[in-house]
Amino acid sequence: MKNKLTEKDIQNVLDNSDISFKTVDDKCTLCKCKLPNGFILFAHTGAIDKSNYDFEIGKSSCLDDIKEQLWKLEGYHLASKIIEKPDYIDIKWQNGTVKKAGVNGVQVSDVLRVAKERLIELNSEH
């Protein structure tokens, strides 16, 4: 599992998000970013005076804010995934993953017994 985020990761999320911008009160830009999983982020900027307002600058600033929020959220998400402990033993046996209760009638103890026997064989060969 990877242990760091890249610009490409953040851009991929943005590319798959629904992003909209809106001018509010003739001097503020509001950005809504609906992420691929449905989570919504907001960002906003504003000018002191309407005569100084520039929609393109507002969009750019809002998008920078959205990216900063994404870095934090995606960083937290990745860190959580790294430390998660699965609820199953990831051993492939026949056509399924062996869980605590087993799979396809095979119990974890059976899998471990076979694995141990094979390791003993390999050890004796070397």
Side-chain angles (χ1 to χ4, degrees), residues 21-123:
F21 299 93
K22 177 180 178 179
T23 299
V24 179
D25 292 334
D26 298 323
K27 66 178 190 173
C28 297
T29 304
L30 179 64
C31 174
K32 175 186 170 188
C33 178
K34 186 174 182 181
L35 302 177
N37 67 1
F39 194 80
I40 298 174
L41 300 175
F42 288 97
H44 61 88
T45 63
I48 295 170
D49 188 275
K50 292 178 185 181
S51 63
N52 296 328
Y53 177 71
D54 184 315
F55 183 65
E56 293 304 315
I57 292 173
K59 282 174 52 175
S60 176
S61 181
C62 283
L63 200 52
D64 288 344
D65 186 8
I66 293 292
K67 285 180 184 178
E68 283 299 315
Q69 292 179 54
L70 270 178
W71 277 103
K72 294 172 187 174
L73 291 170
E74 291 295 311
Y76 175 83
H77 182 250
L78 179 57
S80 295
K81 283 173 56 175
I82 289 171
I83 64 167
E84 275 181 0
K85 294 187 178 166
D87 290 337
Y88 59 89
I89 299 169
D90 194 16
I91 299 172
K92 298 298 180 187
W93 185 273
Q94 296 168 346
N95 294 325
T97 299
V98 178
K99 300 191 184 215
K100 288 180 182 175
V103 70
N104 298 338
V106 177
Q107 296 300 312
V108 173
S109 59
D110 296 331
V111 173
L112 294 175
R113 181 183 45 77
V114 171
K116 179 181 175 185
E117 289 170 1
R118 183 65 182 130
L119 286 171
I120 291 170
E121 284 177 31
L122 290 170
N123 190 40

